[in-house]
Amino acid sequence: MVDQVMVKVTYFLDVVSSWCRYVEPVWKSLIEDYGTAVAFDWEVALIPKAGLPGSAEEEDGYYRRSGVMTKQPVMLNSAWVEPELDSYLAPNLVPVACRELGVAGDVVRLAIADAAMVDGLKVGQLEVSAKVAASVCDFSVEAILEKASSVEVEALVQASTELFHSFGLNQRPAFYLESVIEDRAIFSGLIQKEPLEVTLRAMIEDVKSYRAWAAHMDA
């Protein structure tokens, strides 16, 4: 029920960010553990040109370093990289477009992330990302392309990216936590579950305390 929600968590990501892919098991676990008390949502925070790989070879070196640091069992695939692109707008537009069409949750963005970093598909091309999305939802490639190409959807992506930067952040993944009593916390670049979980528990307990106080004062 809506009145049970005590905290909202907004996860800022770029679909082609390897660090965001590494944190996905944490995100899924938090949703499973706190789904009734916490509202979970994601927003796009586009990686700027300066943060993008200049070549597939450069990305391979990055994947080796980050993969070892995070103990990944399989190295990611850099074949999706297109150095001539200034941003990977397409793989981020498409999940937002699908969400606007009514596809809830993470399924589309995760499918596109896997298509890039596992299968090496050129998801920087709008048609490629749209085909991947259509394979995991009930909308046609044409409908997805039309929505993803709209001014409305690009404005949503740009607005969420601006919101991310307004918090003074530059690392993805980032998590913005806000309770119904306006306690707030931000984590940027974090991929471990424990700090997020401890903070969520503390925020939930604070809300429970305020609700108990209100109940007794109104009695």
Side-chain angles (χ1 to χ4, degrees), residues 15-16 21 63 76-81 91 94 107-125 127-136:
V15 172
V16 295
R21 192 174 188 280
Y63 285 164
L76 298 180
N77 187 341
S78 66
W80 60 272
V81 173
V94 168
V107 62
V108 171
R109 63 176 187 79
L110 290 177
I112 295 172
D114 279 352
M117 290 179 277
V118 176
D119 301 326
L121 298 185
K122 303 291 188 183
V123 298
Q125 304 305 312
E127 295 80 3
V128 174
S129 284
K131 287 178 181 178
V132 174
S135 73
V136 295

mmCIF file of all heavy atoms in Angstrom, residues 15-16 21 63 76-81 91 94 107-125 127-136:
data_model
loop_
_atom_site.group_PDB
_atom_site.id
_atom_site.type_symbol
_atom_site.label_atom_id
_atom_site.label_comp_id
_atom_site.label_asym_id
_atom_site.label_seq_id
_atom_site.Cartn_x
_atom_site.Cartn_y
_atom_site.Cartn_z
ATOM 1 N N VAL A 15 23.040 3.247 -19.023
ATOM 2 C CA VAL A 15 22.829 1.839 -19.380
ATOM 3 C C VAL A 15 24.117 1.146 -19.796
ATOM 4 O O VAL A 15 24.279 -0.055 -19.560
ATOM 5 C CB VAL A 15 21.749 1.728 -20.480
ATOM 6 C CG1 VAL A 15 21.646 0.302 -21.021
ATOM 7 C CG2 VAL A 15 20.395 2.176 -19.924
ATOM 8 N N VAL A 16 25.066 1.870 -20.391
ATOM 9 C CA VAL A 16 26.305 1.232 -20.834
ATOM 10 C C VAL A 16 27.444 1.372 -19.822
ATOM 11 O O VAL A 16 28.602 1.087 -20.143
ATOM 12 C CB VAL A 16 26.752 1.745 -22.219
ATOM 13 C CG1 VAL A 16 25.743 1.358 -23.284
ATOM 14 C CG2 VAL A 16 26.992 3.250 -22.208
ATOM 15 N N ARG A 21 26.294 -1.987 -14.210
ATOM 16 C CA ARG A 21 25.988 -3.407 -14.399
ATOM 17 C C ARG A 21 26.471 -4.229 -13.205
ATOM 18 O O ARG A 21 25.800 -5.160 -12.770
ATOM 19 C CB ARG A 21 26.627 -3.932 -15.681
ATOM 20 C CG ARG A 21 26.100 -5.320 -16.057
ATOM 21 C CD ARG A 21 26.632 -5.778 -17.406
ATOM 22 N NE ARG A 21 25.979 -7.011 -17.812
ATOM 23 C CZ ARG A 21 26.314 -8.221 -17.362
ATOM 24 N NH1 ARG A 21 27.308 -8.338 -16.492
ATOM 25 N NH2 ARG A 21 25.678 -9.298 -17.766
ATOM 26 N N TYR A 63 37.854 -2.712 -18.433
ATOM 27 C CA TYR A 63 37.115 -3.896 -17.980
ATOM 28 C C TYR A 63 38.011 -4.853 -17.191
ATOM 29 O O TYR A 63 37.571 -5.479 -16.224
ATOM 30 C CB TYR A 63 36.514 -4.634 -19.171
ATOM 31 C CG TYR A 63 35.288 -3.981 -19.783
ATOM 32 C CD1 TYR A 63 34.848 -4.364 -21.046
ATOM 33 C CD2 TYR A 63 34.567 -3.004 -19.105
ATOM 34 C CE1 TYR A 63 33.725 -3.788 -21.620
ATOM 35 C CE2 TYR A 63 33.454 -2.418 -19.672
ATOM 36 C CZ TYR A 63 33.026 -2.816 -20.930
ATOM 37 O OH TYR A 63 31.916 -2.251 -21.490
ATOM 38 N N LEU A 76 33.729 -8.364 -19.399
ATOM 39 C CA LEU A 76 32.728 -7.767 -20.269
ATOM 40 C C LEU A 76 33.269 -7.621 -21.692
ATOM 41 O O LEU A 76 34.468 -7.661 -21.939
ATOM 42 C CB LEU A 76 32.307 -6.405 -19.713
ATOM 43 C CG LEU A 76 31.647 -6.429 -18.334
ATOM 44 C CD1 LEU A 76 31.269 -5.017 -17.888
ATOM 45 C CD2 LEU A 76 30.413 -7.331 -18.325
ATOM 46 N N ASN A 77 32.335 -7.422 -22.626
ATOM 47 C CA ASN A 77 32.626 -7.375 -24.054
ATOM 48 C C ASN A 77 32.626 -5.918 -24.523
ATOM 49 O O ASN A 77 31.641 -5.200 -24.344
ATOM 50 C CB ASN A 77 31.542 -8.173 -24.797
ATOM 51 C CG ASN A 77 31.816 -8.335 -26.274
ATOM 52 O OD1 ASN A 77 32.606 -7.613 -26.869
ATOM 53 N ND2 ASN A 77 31.144 -9.295 -26.883
ATOM 54 N N SER A 78 33.704 -5.482 -25.139
ATOM 55 C CA SER A 78 33.833 -4.078 -25.557
ATOM 56 C C SER A 78 33.405 -3.834 -27.001
ATOM 57 O O SER A 78 33.520 -2.720 -27.509
ATOM 58 C CB SER A 78 35.287 -3.622 -25.405
ATOM 59 O OG SER A 78 36.121 -4.331 -26.316
ATOM 60 N N ALA A 79 32.862 -4.847 -27.687
ATOM 61 C CA ALA A 79 32.554 -4.711 -29.114
ATOM 62 C C ALA A 79 31.456 -3.690 -29.393
ATOM 63 O O ALA A 79 31.282 -3.245 -30.533
ATOM 64 C CB ALA A 79 32.161 -6.073 -29.694
ATOM 65 N N TRP A 80 30.718 -3.271 -28.369
ATOM 66 C CA TRP A 80 29.652 -2.278 -28.544
ATOM 67 C C TRP A 80 30.190 -0.860 -28.740
ATOM 68 O O TRP A 80 29.477 0.025 -29.209
ATOM 69 C CB TRP A 80 28.730 -2.274 -27.326
ATOM 70 C CG TRP A 80 29.433 -1.930 -26.026
ATOM 71 C CD1 TRP A 80 30.054 -2.802 -25.183
ATOM 72 C CD2 TRP A 80 29.579 -0.628 -25.450
ATOM 73 N NE1 TRP A 80 30.597 -2.126 -24.113
ATOM 74 C CE2 TRP A 80 30.312 -0.790 -24.247
ATOM 75 C CE3 TRP A 80 29.165 0.645 -25.822
ATOM 76 C CZ2 TRP A 80 30.652 0.285 -23.423
ATOM 77 C CZ3 TRP A 80 29.500 1.727 -25.003
ATOM 78 C CH2 TRP A 80 30.228 1.534 -23.812
ATOM 79 N N VAL A 81 31.449 -0.639 -28.392
ATOM 80 C CA VAL A 81 32.012 0.714 -28.373
ATOM 81 C C VAL A 81 32.092 1.306 -29.784
ATOM 82 O O VAL A 81 32.572 0.671 -30.720
ATOM 83 C CB VAL A 81 33.415 0.701 -27.731
ATOM 84 C CG1 VAL A 81 34.090 2.059 -27.866
ATOM 85 C CG2 VAL A 81 33.318 0.300 -26.264
ATOM 86 N N PRO A 91 20.819 3.876 -26.183
ATOM 87 C CA PRO A 91 20.493 2.828 -25.206
ATOM 88 C C PRO A 91 19.879 3.362 -23.922
ATOM 89 O O PRO A 91 19.362 2.589 -23.110
ATOM 90 C CB PRO A 91 21.849 2.173 -24.930
ATOM 91 C CG PRO A 91 22.860 3.206 -25.275
ATOM 92 C CD PRO A 91 22.262 3.980 -26.423
ATOM 93 N N VAL A 94 15.850 4.471 -25.105
ATOM 94 C CA VAL A 94 14.912 3.364 -25.326
ATOM 95 C C VAL A 94 14.268 2.854 -24.030
ATOM 96 O O VAL A 94 13.043 2.687 -23.974
ATOM 97 C CB VAL A 94 15.589 2.229 -26.112
ATOM 98 C CG1 VAL A 94 14.734 0.965 -26.107
ATOM 99 C CG2 VAL A 94 15.847 2.680 -27.550
ATOM 100 N N VAL A 107 13.520 -4.484 -16.803
ATOM 101 C CA VAL A 107 13.765 -5.513 -17.816
ATOM 102 C C VAL A 107 14.367 -4.950 -19.098
ATOM 103 O O VAL A 107 15.307 -5.553 -19.660
ATOM 104 C CB VAL A 107 12.475 -6.309 -18.118
ATOM 105 C CG1 VAL A 107 11.374 -5.414 -18.676
ATOM 106 C CG2 VAL A 107 12.761 -7.457 -19.067
ATOM 107 N N VAL A 108 13.903 -3.809 -19.576
ATOM 108 C CA VAL A 108 14.386 -3.285 -20.852
ATOM 109 C C VAL A 108 15.821 -2.792 -20.733
ATOM 110 O O VAL A 108 16.681 -3.136 -21.557
ATOM 111 C CB VAL A 108 13.468 -2.171 -21.382
ATOM 112 C CG1 VAL A 108 14.096 -1.478 -22.592
ATOM 113 C CG2 VAL A 108 12.104 -2.740 -21.753
ATOM 114 N N ARG A 109 16.099 -1.998 -19.720
ATOM 115 C CA ARG A 109 17.455 -1.454 -19.606
ATOM 116 C C ARG A 109 18.473 -2.565 -19.345
ATOM 117 O O ARG A 109 19.607 -2.501 -19.848
ATOM 118 C CB ARG A 109 17.539 -0.364 -18.542
ATOM 119 C CG ARG A 109 17.250 -0.799 -17.139
ATOM 120 C CD ARG A 109 17.449 0.330 -16.129
ATOM 121 N NE ARG A 109 17.319 -0.153 -14.768
ATOM 122 C CZ ARG A 109 18.270 -0.802 -14.105
ATOM 123 N NH1 ARG A 109 19.426 -1.033 -14.692
ATOM 124 N NH2 ARG A 109 18.076 -1.207 -12.870
ATOM 125 N N LEU A 110 18.081 -3.593 -18.593
ATOM 126 C CA LEU A 110 19.000 -4.708 -18.352
ATOM 127 C C LEU A 110 19.253 -5.500 -19.628
ATOM 128 O O LEU A 110 20.383 -5.949 -19.871
ATOM 129 C CB LEU A 110 18.435 -5.629 -17.268
ATOM 130 C CG LEU A 110 18.423 -5.062 -15.850
ATOM 131 C CD1 LEU A 110 17.765 -6.049 -14.889
ATOM 132 C CD2 LEU A 110 19.831 -4.720 -15.371
ATOM 133 N N ALA A 111 18.229 -5.681 -20.428
ATOM 134 C CA ALA A 111 18.407 -6.395 -21.701
ATOM 135 C C ALA A 111 19.354 -5.636 -22.621
ATOM 136 O O ALA A 111 20.203 -6.239 -23.293
ATOM 137 C CB ALA A 111 17.050 -6.592 -22.373
ATOM 138 N N ILE A 112 19.228 -4.320 -22.653
ATOM 139 C CA ILE A 112 20.114 -3.518 -23.507
ATOM 140 C C ILE A 112 21.542 -3.522 -22.968
ATOM 141 O O ILE A 112 22.515 -3.614 -23.733
ATOM 142 C CB ILE A 112 19.579 -2.083 -23.645
ATOM 143 C CG1 ILE A 112 18.238 -2.098 -24.393
ATOM 144 C CG2 ILE A 112 20.581 -1.196 -24.388
ATOM 145 C CD1 ILE A 112 17.530 -0.760 -24.430
ATOM 146 N N ALA A 113 21.684 -3.446 -21.652
ATOM 147 C CA ALA A 113 23.024 -3.509 -21.052
ATOM 148 C C ALA A 113 23.705 -4.832 -21.386
ATOM 149 O O ALA A 113 24.895 -4.867 -21.729
ATOM 150 C CB ALA A 113 22.932 -3.317 -19.538
ATOM 151 N N ASP A 114 22.969 -5.931 -21.299
ATOM 152 C CA ASP A 114 23.529 -7.238 -21.638
ATOM 153 C C ASP A 114 23.840 -7.337 -23.131
ATOM 154 O O ASP A 114 24.855 -7.928 -23.524
ATOM 155 C CB ASP A 114 22.561 -8.352 -21.241
ATOM 156 C CG ASP A 114 22.643 -8.695 -19.759
ATOM 157 O OD1 ASP A 114 23.544 -8.175 -19.068
ATOM 158 O OD2 ASP A 114 21.810 -9.484 -19.287
ATOM 159 N N ALA A 115 22.954 -6.777 -23.949
ATOM 160 C CA ALA A 115 23.194 -6.802 -25.393
ATOM 161 C C ALA A 115 24.512 -6.108 -25.723
ATOM 162 O O ALA A 115 25.250 -6.545 -26.613
ATOM 163 C CB ALA A 115 22.039 -6.127 -26.123
ATOM 164 N N ALA A 116 24.818 -5.034 -24.994
ATOM 165 C CA ALA A 116 26.075 -4.314 -25.216
ATOM 166 C C ALA A 116 27.252 -5.053 -24.607
ATOM 167 O O ALA A 116 28.171 -5.482 -25.316
ATOM 168 C CB ALA A 116 25.970 -2.906 -24.629
ATOM 169 N N MET A 117 27.225 -5.200 -23.290
ATOM 170 C CA MET A 117 28.427 -5.606 -22.557
ATOM 171 C C MET A 117 28.639 -7.114 -22.479
ATOM 172 O O MET A 117 29.715 -7.567 -22.078
ATOM 173 C CB MET A 117 28.411 -4.981 -21.167
ATOM 174 C CG MET A 117 28.619 -3.476 -21.204
ATOM 175 S SD MET A 117 28.566 -2.673 -19.580
ATOM 176 C CE MET A 117 26.785 -2.489 -19.355
ATOM 177 N N VAL A 118 27.653 -7.895 -22.897
ATOM 178 C CA VAL A 118 27.827 -9.352 -22.992
ATOM 179 C C VAL A 118 27.917 -9.777 -24.455
ATOM 180 O O VAL A 118 28.838 -10.471 -24.868
ATOM 181 C CB VAL A 118 26.685 -10.097 -22.276
ATOM 182 C CG1 VAL A 118 26.833 -11.610 -22.470
ATOM 183 C CG2 VAL A 118 26.665 -9.760 -20.791
ATOM 184 N N ASP A 119 26.931 -9.309 -25.262
ATOM 185 C CA ASP A 119 26.871 -9.745 -26.658
ATOM 186 C C ASP A 119 27.636 -8.841 -27.611
ATOM 187 O O ASP A 119 27.864 -9.209 -28.770
ATOM 188 C CB ASP A 119 25.408 -9.822 -27.105
ATOM 189 C CG ASP A 119 24.590 -10.786 -26.258
ATOM 190 O OD1 ASP A 119 25.167 -11.797 -25.817
ATOM 191 O OD2 ASP A 119 23.401 -10.522 -26.030
ATOM 192 N N GLY A 120 28.017 -7.645 -27.160
ATOM 193 C CA GLY A 120 28.801 -6.747 -27.995
ATOM 194 C C GLY A 120 28.024 -6.057 -29.101
ATOM 195 O O GLY A 120 28.617 -5.578 -30.079
ATOM 196 N N LEU A 121 26.700 -5.957 -28.966
ATOM 197 C CA LEU A 121 25.897 -5.312 -29.998
ATOM 198 C C LEU A 121 26.079 -3.794 -29.960
ATOM 199 O O LEU A 121 26.300 -3.208 -28.899
ATOM 200 C CB LEU A 121 24.415 -5.660 -29.803
ATOM 201 C CG LEU A 121 24.029 -7.136 -29.910
ATOM 202 C CD1 LEU A 121 22.508 -7.284 -29.816
ATOM 203 C CD2 LEU A 121 24.549 -7.752 -31.200
ATOM 204 N N LYS A 122 25.941 -3.158 -31.108
ATOM 205 C CA LYS A 122 26.129 -1.712 -31.227
ATOM 206 C C LYS A 122 24.862 -0.985 -30.765
ATOM 207 O O LYS A 122 24.115 -0.405 -31.548
ATOM 208 C CB LYS A 122 26.446 -1.340 -32.670
ATOM 209 C CG LYS A 122 27.671 -2.037 -33.257
ATOM 210 C CD LYS A 122 28.972 -1.551 -32.626
ATOM 211 C CE LYS A 122 30.185 -2.125 -33.359
ATOM 212 N NZ LYS A 122 31.469 -1.735 -32.728
ATOM 213 N N VAL A 123 24.648 -0.979 -29.475
ATOM 214 C CA VAL A 123 23.424 -0.394 -28.929
ATOM 215 C C VAL A 123 23.403 1.121 -29.024
ATOM 216 O O VAL A 123 22.376 1.748 -28.763
ATOM 217 C CB VAL A 123 23.214 -0.835 -27.458
ATOM 218 C CG1 VAL A 123 23.050 -2.339 -27.353
ATOM 219 C CG2 VAL A 123 24.354 -0.334 -26.572
ATOM 220 N N GLY A 124 24.515 1.726 -29.409
ATOM 221 C CA GLY A 124 24.533 3.154 -29.662
ATOM 222 C C GLY A 124 23.668 3.536 -30.847
ATOM 223 O O GLY A 124 23.355 4.718 -31.032
ATOM 224 N N GLN A 125 23.272 2.548 -31.643
ATOM 225 C CA GLN A 125 22.351 2.760 -32.755
ATOM 226 C C GLN A 125 20.926 2.543 -32.254
ATOM 227 O O GLN A 125 20.617 1.508 -31.664
ATOM 228 C CB GLN A 125 22.660 1.803 -33.898
ATOM 229 C CG GLN A 125 24.102 1.880 -34.404
ATOM 230 C CD GLN A 125 24.492 3.290 -34.812
ATOM 231 O OE1 GLN A 125 23.758 3.961 -35.544
ATOM 232 N NE2 GLN A 125 25.653 3.746 -34.335
ATOM 233 N N GLU A 127 18.135 1.826 -33.611
ATOM 234 C CA GLU A 127 17.413 0.658 -34.113
ATOM 235 C C GLU A 127 17.840 -0.614 -33.385
ATOM 236 O O GLU A 127 17.016 -1.490 -33.111
ATOM 237 C CB GLU A 127 17.631 0.490 -35.620
ATOM 238 C CG GLU A 127 17.057 1.599 -36.472
ATOM 239 C CD GLU A 127 17.936 2.839 -36.517
ATOM 240 O OE1 GLU A 127 19.050 2.822 -35.918
ATOM 241 O OE2 GLU A 127 17.521 3.837 -37.135
ATOM 242 N N VAL A 128 19.123 -0.714 -33.075
ATOM 243 C CA VAL A 128 19.631 -1.896 -32.369
ATOM 244 C C VAL A 128 19.036 -1.970 -30.968
ATOM 245 O O VAL A 128 18.526 -3.014 -30.536
ATOM 246 C CB VAL A 128 21.170 -1.886 -32.308
ATOM 247 C CG1 VAL A 128 21.688 -3.041 -31.450
ATOM 248 C CG2 VAL A 128 21.751 -1.963 -33.716
ATOM 249 N N SER A 129 19.064 -0.858 -30.244
ATOM 250 C CA SER A 129 18.497 -0.832 -28.897
ATOM 251 C C SER A 129 16.998 -1.096 -28.922
ATOM 252 O O SER A 129 16.459 -1.794 -28.051
ATOM 253 C CB SER A 129 18.793 0.507 -28.215
ATOM 254 O OG SER A 129 20.133 0.568 -27.779
ATOM 255 N N ALA A 130 16.307 -0.556 -29.918
ATOM 256 C CA ALA A 130 14.861 -0.761 -30.018
ATOM 257 C C ALA A 130 14.534 -2.228 -30.279
ATOM 258 O O ALA A 130 13.560 -2.767 -29.726
ATOM 259 C CB ALA A 130 14.281 0.120 -31.116
ATOM 260 N N LYS A 131 15.314 -2.896 -31.104
ATOM 261 C CA LYS A 131 15.086 -4.318 -31.372
ATOM 262 C C LYS A 131 15.298 -5.153 -30.119
ATOM 263 O O LYS A 131 14.532 -6.083 -29.846
ATOM 264 C CB LYS A 131 16.008 -4.801 -32.494
ATOM 265 C CG LYS A 131 15.608 -4.312 -33.873
ATOM 266 C CD LYS A 131 16.584 -4.795 -34.936
ATOM 267 C CE LYS A 131 16.203 -4.276 -36.315
ATOM 268 N NZ LYS A 131 17.174 -4.704 -37.359
ATOM 269 N N VAL A 132 16.314 -4.823 -29.351
ATOM 270 C CA VAL A 132 16.543 -5.537 -28.090
ATOM 271 C C VAL A 132 15.365 -5.331 -27.155
ATOM 272 O O VAL A 132 14.857 -6.284 -26.544
ATOM 273 C CB VAL A 132 17.855 -5.062 -27.426
ATOM 274 C CG1 VAL A 132 18.000 -5.703 -26.033
ATOM 275 C CG2 VAL A 132 19.054 -5.400 -28.287
ATOM 276 N N ALA A 133 14.907 -4.091 -27.045
ATOM 277 C CA ALA A 133 13.773 -3.786 -26.168
ATOM 278 C C ALA A 133 12.522 -4.541 -26.594
ATOM 279 O O ALA A 133 11.796 -5.103 -25.754
ATOM 280 C CB ALA A 133 13.515 -2.281 -26.157
ATOM 281 N N ALA A 134 12.262 -4.567 -27.893
ATOM 282 C CA ALA A 134 11.063 -5.243 -28.399
ATOM 283 C C ALA A 134 11.083 -6.738 -28.099
ATOM 284 O O ALA A 134 10.023 -7.363 -27.965
ATOM 285 C CB ALA A 134 10.927 -5.003 -29.900
ATOM 286 N N SER A 135 12.276 -7.298 -27.959
ATOM 287 C CA SER A 135 12.386 -8.736 -27.684
ATOM 288 C C SER A 135 12.013 -9.097 -26.247
ATOM 289 O O SER A 135 11.795 -10.273 -25.944
ATOM 290 C CB SER A 135 13.815 -9.222 -27.982
ATOM 291 O OG SER A 135 14.737 -8.780 -26.992
ATOM 292 N N VAL A 136 11.911 -8.092 -25.369
ATOM 293 C CA VAL A 136 11.605 -8.384 -23.961
ATOM 294 C C VAL A 136 10.350 -7.660 -23.477
ATOM 295 O O VAL A 136 10.057 -7.673 -22.281
ATOM 296 C CB VAL A 136 12.796 -8.030 -23.043
ATOM 297 C CG1 VAL A 136 13.988 -8.920 -23.343
ATOM 298 C CG2 VAL A 136 13.171 -6.552 -23.143
#
